[in-house]
Amino acid sequence: MSVLPRTLLPDSAEVGPEGQLLVGGCDLASLAEEYGTPLFVYDEAQLRARCREAVRAFGDGVAYATKAFLCRAMARLAHEEGMHLDVASGGELAVALGAGVPATRIVLHGNNKSDDELRRARQAGVGRIVVDSFDELDRLERLHDEDGIVAKVLLRITPGVEAHTHEFVMTGQDDSKFGFGLKVGDAHRAAERARTSPAVELVGLHAHIGSQVFVAGFYEQAIEALAPIVNELALPELSIGGGIGVAYVEGEEAPSLTEWGDVVRRACERAGITAAVSAEPGRAIAAAAGITLYRVGTIKDVPGIRRFVACDGGFVDNPRPALYGSGYETFLPRAVEADRTEVVRLVGKHCESGDVLVPEAKVPPGLVVGDLIATPVTGAYGRSMGSNYNLLPRPAVVFVADGQARLVVRRETDDDLLATDVG
Ligand code: LLP
C-alpha cells in the first residue's frame, strides 16, 4: 500500500464524499477551475498557527524568513501573528514595507548589501541590520557620514559548524561566503570595530548554520561554539538563524518549531547564555501549508522504460528537485486516499530533460490527460525561487480558509512578461 501520508497534507485537509481533497474547506478541483493551473494553494490557518508556534517557542523577536515565500498577504499575516520579518534584499524589504509592516519589525540580511539597500533600510528605520562583512561596516560608516543615522546591528558569525544538509544550503562552516569567521578571529575584530563605530549600535550576534536541518543537535553545537564570544561580549541579543527542516516525503521526520525552540533554549541555559535568543524560520512556517496543483497535458509511454507524465508547470515553479535533488510526493486531488501503485516520471513543459519535478512519482492507476496532479509541501522556496524561463507566466497564489479562497497573487499575463521589455 502506498497511500499519501496524511501528515504531508496541510492541517485543514479533509476528504470529501467522493474521495476528493478539500483544503481550508475548499475543493481543490474547483480552485483549479477558477484560478487555473499551475496554482499554489496555501492553508491560511496553518500559516497562522506556525507563526504563533514560532512566537511561543522563541518569544518576541522571532522573524519569518521571507525568502521562503513572500507576497504582501504573507507579510501581513506573519506580522499580524506577532513575527518580525527577515528580508534579504531591497526587493523583499519593499514588499514587507508595502504590506504595511512597520520598519522596526524588519531585519535586513545579505552578504553583499548595496549602498542603496542599506540606505533605504536605514532611512525606513529597520529594526536590525545583520552585518555580514568588514566592507559592509565601511559602507555603513560612509552612509552615516552622509545622514547621521545610527543603525542597530547584529553581527553574523560563522561558528564553524557543519550541519548535515545539502552543501548548497550549508552556511555555518568556516569555508563560507557568509559572516565573520569565529576561528580566524574575524568575529572578535568585527565586534571591536562595531563597538567603537559611530555608525552602528551593536546589540547582538547572529548565526545561521544552514537550511533543511533535520537534527536539532547541530544548533546545540553552534550554541556551544558561540557561547564564549556571546558571554564575553555580553550583548543583549542572539539570533540562531533559521533552517529547521520539514518532512517532504514519506518516512521523513523533522522537529517541530516547539521542539527546536526547546533544544535551543536548553543549550543556551547550559552554556550560560543570558542574551534574549531568537530565530528566523522560513521553511518551517510556509512549506507544509502549501500545495501546487498542475494539470496533466501529455502522457508518453516509453515501452520497457517508463511513463512520462507532463504537467503545465515545471522547474520554473519548483526548481528544488533540479537544484538539490529534492524529493516530493504526488497525489491526485480527486482520489487523495487512493493506493498509488504506479510509478511515473512527473515532468514539466520546458525544453530540457532536467525539467523533472518528481523522478519516481507514485500515482494511482487510471491517471489520464486532463487530470489534476498535486505535489504537497511546496509552500517554501518554490514560487519564491521560480523563474520565467521559456516565458511561462508565474502561477497565481490563493489562500484558503473556512471554505473561502482568496486570490493573493494573480497569475502573470503576457502583458506582465512584456512590461519591462522597453526595446
Ligand atoms: N536566516 C538566514 C540568514 C537564511 O539565510 C535563511 C535561509 C533563513 C534564515 C531561513 O531558513 P529556513 O528556515 O527557511 O531553512 N533554497 C533552499 C533554501 C535556502 C535557504 C537560504 N537561507 C531550499 O529550497 O532548500
Side-chain angles (χ1 to χ4, degrees):
M1 284 288 279
S2 185
V3 175
L4 178 77
R6 170 70 187 76
T7 50
L8 295 175
L9 288 171
D11 293 349
S12 69
E14 298 167 75
V15 182
E18 276 125 46
Q20 81 277 27
L21 180 64
L22 290 88
V23 178
C26 296
D27 182 308
L28 294 185
S30 313
L31 295 177
E33 282 300 322
E34 183 169 355
Y35 299 103
T37 51
L39 181 67
F40 286 96
V41 179
Y42 282 86
D43 178 344
E44 182 171 346
Q46 177 165 341
L47 290 172
R48 290 187 185 278
R50 292 296 182 280
C51 290
R52 286 199 293 271
E53 185 181 352
V55 174
R56 273 198 308 276
F58 289 95
D60 185 36
V62 65
Y64 168 59
T66 62
K67 67 202 81 181
F69 164 61
L70 182 62
C71 58
R72 285 187 298 185
M74 182 63 207
R76 238 176 262 128
L77 180 154
H79 172 60
E80 282 162 11
E81 299 302 341
M83 293 192 85
H84 292 233
L85 267 69
D86 145 7
V87 300
S89 71
E92 290 178 356
L93 174 65
V95 173
L97 290 173
V101 175
T104 51
R105 308 283 292 181
I106 296 176
V107 187
L108 178 69
H109 270 282
N111 72 304
N112 184 25
K113 306 175 190 76
S114 67
D115 277 11
D116 179 54
E117 287 171 323
L118 288 170
R119 195 178 286 117
R120 278 158 61 196
R122 290 161 65 263
Q123 291 179 355
V126 299
R128 301 285 180 271
I129 295 178
V130 182
V131 176
D132 211 285
S133 68
F134 290 108
D135 287 316
E136 187 175 338
L137 283 170
D138 292 343
R139 277 197 281 277
L140 286 166
E141 288 182 354
R142 269 204 324 274
L143 294 170
H144 173 259
D145 289 344
E146 277 174 25
D147 59 18
I149 296 172
V150 178
K152 285 202 166 89
V153 303
L154 308 183
L155 297 176
R156 177 158 176 174
I157 309 298
T158 314
V161 168
E162 302 204 355
H164 293 168
T165 180
H166 193 288
E167 64 166 318
F168 289 5
V169 295
M170 254 168 68
T171 49
Q173 71 281 13
D174 295 324
D175 181 7
S176 164
K177 72 169 179 170
F178 299 102
F180 297 100
L182 191 57
K183 291 187 194 148
V184 292
D186 280 352
H188 281 91
R189 278 189 284 277
E192 190 57 40
R193 180 145 169 222
R195 279 194 150 158
T196 52
S197 170
V200 298
E201 180 189 341
L202 178 62
V203 293
L205 300 181
H206 172 284
H208 171 75
I209 56 173
S211 194
Q212 185 60 351
V213 177
F214 276 133
V215 180
F218 289 117
Y219 292 89
E220 294 174 330
Q221 284 180 28
I223 289 163
E224 275 165 33
L226 289 164
I229 188 169
V230 171
N231 291 335
E232 181 190 326
L233 298 176
L235 296 166
E237 296 179 21
L238 170 67
S239 169
I240 198 67
I244 202 68
V246 305
Y248 282 88
V249 294
E250 190 164 3
E252 277 182 343
E253 267 180 55
S256 66
L257 286 157
T258 306
E259 288 161 345
W260 182 40
D262 286 346
V263 167
V264 166
R265 195 178 38 257
R266 282 199 299 270
C268 287
E269 278 165 17
R270 275 199 305 278
I273 292 174
T274 52
V277 178
S278 66
E280 299 158 350
R283 190 189 314 268
I285 302 289
I291 284 184
T292 312
L293 301 179
Y294 301 101
R295 187 75 66 185
V296 173
T298 299
I299 298 179
K300 171 183 169 174
D301 284 312
V302 184
I305 300 184
R306 72 177 81 254
R307 170 173 286 191
F308 287 94
V309 172
C311 70
D312 51 0
F315 66 4
V316 280
D317 58 72
N318 186 0
R320 301 191 69 258
L323 265 177
Y324 318 119
S326 309
Y328 286 86
E329 297 283 348
T330 40
F331 69 95
L332 303 190
R334 66 172 163 78
V336 62
E337 290 181 315
D339 194 7
R340 301 169 305 162
T341 51
E342 288 185 9
V343 175
V344 302
R345 179 156 292 180
L346 180 65
V347 298
K349 60 182 277 144
H350 296 281
C351 313
E352 296 192 26
S353 298
D355 175 25
V356 175
L357 286 168
V358 188
E360 309 277 308
K362 286 178 254 169
V363 292
L367 172 70
V368 292
V369 167
D371 257 331
L372 270 187
I373 191 163
T375 46
V377 201
T378 54
Y381 303 111
R383 197 175 192 287
S384 69
M385 287 208 299
S387 77
N388 276 126
Y389 181 45
N390 289 140
L391 292 187
L392 250 64
R394 285 173 217 253
V397 182
V398 293
F399 281 10
V400 290
D402 303 323
Q404 301 289 324
R406 155 163 97 95
L407 182 67
V408 295
V409 184
R410 67 159 170 78
R411 184 174 308 284
E412 282 180 351
T413 63
D414 289 352
D415 285 344
D416 291 320
L417 297 174
L418 283 162
T420 54
D421 185 333
V422 295

